[in-house]
Structure formats: structure tokens, C-alpha cells
Amino acid sequence: MFSKSEQMAMRRAIELALLGGKKTFPNPRVGAVILSPAGEVISEGYHASFGSAHAERNALNRAGTDVTGYTMVVTLEPCSHQGKTPPCVEAIVQSGISRVVVGLKDPYPLVAGKGISFLREKGIEVEVGLLSEEIEKLNEMYLLDIATGRSFLHLKMAGTLDGRSAASDGSSMWITSGESRKRVHEYRRDSHAVLIGGGTAVADDPELTARHVECEDQPVRIIFSNRDLPHSLKLFNSPGRTVVATDRELDLPDSVEVWEGINDTLQLLTRTAREGLGLVLCEGGNSLASSLIRNRLVDRVSIFTAPAILGSTGFPLIGDLGIGHIDDILRMEDVTVTMIGNDILTEGRFVYRVD
């Protein structure tokens, strides 16, 4: 069904799509490659940011030659509707492309198979499904937004071998290594927003900026809290957008953006998606973490474990999850385990029980 050159081109298209990073949201990450009848790469393109030209048009514009009878390999179904840019299917038809290899059908209601049908009606051969699992992973926050209307939530936690996140006096800096902390700054760079609770804001007074890494677009800092917060917090006195999400009237500096009427984490993640913040990194304490887990809102988890112990008087890494029997244990899948300095980084996603 798919030639070797098409398979190689799709892998390249996935690499190209990644170059768009977080800037494409709420659009998907898309890459496209044009192949000659002999299987040679003629041009490439990707969607760089929301509102900019789509991958297919970029690839066509860069071809520099007549592409009649050529093949386009694209990670996601070409759009068939007028949005920020004209429909890509029309440009493909006008170009003379005779075959289109699509990695994944686009679930967006205004596309959802219409682009594929349009191309076939115009006599273009279309094959679908090449490397679809990889492309689903590539566009996990886009697909989640389409399916649920909420942001993708990445939960980061750090603790000791015995599952403690802080000593009995509340001190926690620094449990993990400098290498682990740099990785967290990379997570921040790649996220649209960083989320903490009011308790963490007061106890740690963090900046929540991406430092020690190149970052063109700092994440929005979000505090989910129903308590008054000191006006002296670094989050309130440093450059960048800071939001407090709450359902109460709080004493806050005038410079702070307030999202009112937010009383649970699902409401919060729905609001962040509407604000164009598709990937939210949570660095909150055990209460916020357990709330997100209990509400099945954690889509990816990264746990840094330091080779140290604090004992039973330390603060637990996770709060109460309501698990009373071993049969209800919450396990992870798609797990990777990596050494970061002297720490162990465990990443994956939770397997939520089907009720």
C-alpha cells in the first residue's frame, strides 16, 4: 500500500511537524513532503504557527517545479474549509498532485473525512493510515482538545525514594539534582502554561519561568487558589502573564489577571483551552496533584525520584486518592525510565479504571 519512499517521507513529515512546537495550537502539528514519481524528495513544509500557512501550501510553494503527477505525503488530512487560511485541498488539486498519502484522518468536524472525499472526487488517489499511531502521539493535545474541549495536562512531581516531597518543616529545595531541574525548565519551555495551587505559591514562592534553556515564549503562570495571596510573591512582581483562577473574591494586586468562577480543575482546563493554552504543566503540591488524578485529568506524568529518604514525618508526594483496596491501585502504561543525573525519571500515563 505504501512504498518505502513514502514511509521515509512520512517519518520526515513527522520531524517537520515537530518544528511547529506549541505555537500551532489550537491547530494541529502538520508536516508535508512532496515526492517525484521516482520517490525523490522535491520539497518540504510544515505548519509553523496558528494563523500561518499550512504545511501543504508551504511544501507546494517551495517545490520550485511543476508537480503534476507527483505524490504528497502529509501527516494529517488536508483541510477542506476556509479558516485563517484557504482550503489546502484546493491548492493540492490545482497543483496537479496525483496521489496523497495521509497519516491520520482529521477529527475536526469541519474536516473529518471531507478533505479526503474532496480529493478523491477530483480524481486524486488517496491512501490513509501511514504511521497513524505516531501521528496521534504527535498531536495528542490537539486531539484531546477536539474530543473533550480541555487542555492536555502534564503532571510533574519530584520526591524521595520513600515517596516524600518535602521535609516536616515544609522545606523541599532541593530534593532532586540540577540535571532534573534543567529538565523541568525544558518542560516549562514546551508548555503553554504552568499551574500550581495557592499552597505551593506561598510555601515555595516560585518564579515558574523557563530558565537555563532558550525560550522565546514564556509560559503563562497560573495559580488555582481560593485563598488570599501575598502581594510580594515573585509571580506577581516579575515580567510575564500571571493568572489567578478562583471562585472567590480575593485580595490580589491590580496587575494580576483573574479568572472568576473557576471552582474545579475541569473548569480550569476548559478555560485554559479556550485561552489557547493547549499544554498545561502542573507543578503543584500533593493536594492539587491528587485532585487532578482523582478527576482523571492527568494525561502525562513525570516523576523525578531522588536517591534519598525523609521518613514518615515528611510530606507525602501524593494526597488521598480514595484507594482502599489493592485491586484499585493506579498503574501506569507507556512507561519510560531514565537516569537524570543521580535521579530516576519515570514517565508515562495513568491507566484509569473503566467504571
Side-chain angles (χ1 to χ4, degrees):
M1 181 183 296
F2 303 111
S3 68
K4 183 176 180 180
S5 60
E6 289 170 348
Q7 294 176 45
M8 294 175 63
M10 187 63 81
R11 294 200 178 278
R12 175 56 181 162
I14 292 172
E15 292 177 353
L16 291 166
L18 284 168
L19 297 176
K22 65 183 181 182
K23 294 181 179 180
T24 64
F25 189 83
N27 281 354
R29 296 169 176 169
V30 184
V33 175
I34 296 177
L35 298 175
S36 72
E40 300 172 335
V41 175
I42 300 302
S43 69
E44 303 175 336
Y46 69 94
H47 183 43
S49 61
F50 178 63
S52 69
H54 289 187
E56 301 93 324
R57 287 185 176 272
N58 283 330
L60 290 169
N61 291 338
R62 294 167 184 163
T65 186
D66 180 9
V67 295
T68 299
Y70 286 29
T71 296
M72 175 178 284
V73 178
V74 59
T75 54
L76 196 70
E77 176 182 6
C79 65
S80 55
H81 68 289
Q82 176 71 48
K84 292 280 186 180
T85 58
C88 288
V89 290
E90 294 181 359
I92 293 171
V93 171
Q94 293 168 6
S95 73
I97 289 283
S98 63
R99 174 175 165 84
V100 177
V101 176
V102 175
L104 186 69
K105 180 179 174 181
D106 190 343
Y108 184 58
L110 292 180
V111 184
K114 298 182 181 67
I116 294 169
S117 296
F118 182 89
L119 293 173
R120 286 174 173 163
E121 289 169 3
K122 297 299 182 179
I124 296 175
E125 180 184 3
V126 182
E127 293 285 353
V128 183
L130 178 57
L131 302 182
S132 59
E133 291 185 2
E134 288 91 335
I135 296 164
E136 287 178 357
K137 180 69 174 177
L138 168 72
N139 279 304
E140 54 191 3
M141 67 176 171
Y142 169 74
L143 297 173
L144 183 71
D145 179 44
I146 295 298
T148 68
R150 71 168 177 84
S151 300
F152 188 97
L153 193 286
H154 178 191
L155 175 62
K156 184 277 300 183
M157 295 181 286
T160 60
L161 286 171
D162 55 345
R164 304 290 158 173
S165 62
S168 58
D169 65 354
S171 59
S172 61
M173 298 172 66
W174 296 100
I175 287 178
T176 53
S177 66
E179 292 90 341
S180 293
R181 296 196 295 277
K182 182 178 179 182
R183 179 65 61 89
V184 173
H185 285 282
E186 293 172 354
Y187 292 158
R188 292 178 183 175
R189 175 199 63 199
D190 297 337
S191 301
H192 293 103
V194 182
L195 170 67
I196 60 172
T200 298
V202 173
D204 294 348
D205 193 16
E207 294 181 57
L208 300 184
T209 54
R211 305 182 300 280
H212 317 300
V213 293
E214 291 187 14
C215 182
E216 297 179 0
D217 187 13
Q218 288 286 344
V220 177
R221 290 87 58 92
I222 302 176
I223 307 173
F224 182 37
S225 178
N226 284 328
R227 60 187 286 181
D228 288 330
L229 299 166
H231 289 210
S232 61
L233 289 180
K234 294 175 184 176
L235 291 171
F236 297 157
N237 295 279
S238 58
R241 182 182 175 190
T242 298
V243 173
V244 173
T246 183
D247 68 349
R248 297 182 185 178
E249 186 173 340
L250 302 180
D251 176 24
L252 298 168
D254 293 337
S255 60
V256 176
E257 182 178 346
V258 180
W259 292 353
E260 299 177 343
I262 306 294
N263 56 33
D264 63 44
T265 46
L266 178 57
Q267 281 187 324
L268 175 58
L269 293 176
T270 302
R271 175 65 183 268
T272 52
R274 292 205 312 267
E275 294 281 337
L277 308 174
L279 176 56
V280 177
L281 173 67
C282 179
E283 296 189 41
N286 62 15
S287 178
L288 180 55
S290 61
S291 174
L292 289 163
I293 295 170
R294 292 185 70 159
N295 288 307
R296 304 184 178 193
L297 296 173
V298 175
D299 304 295
R300 178 187 176 196
V301 60
S302 299
I303 304 174
F304 295 87
T305 305
I309 58 174
L310 279 170
S312 62
T313 59
F315 284 85
L317 189 63
I318 298 290
D320 180 22
L321 296 179
I323 296 175
H325 193 278
I326 195 64
D327 288 346
D328 298 325
I329 191 171
L330 189 59
R331 299 189 183 276
M332 291 169 58
E333 63 182 7
D334 298 332
V335 175
T336 61
V337 180
T338 310
M339 292 298 300
I340 304 290
N342 288 326
D343 303 327
I344 299 171
L345 172 59
T346 304
E347 298 188 287
R349 60 189 180 94
F350 291 124
V351 181
Y352 295 113
R353 187 180 64 184
V354 178
D355 292 331

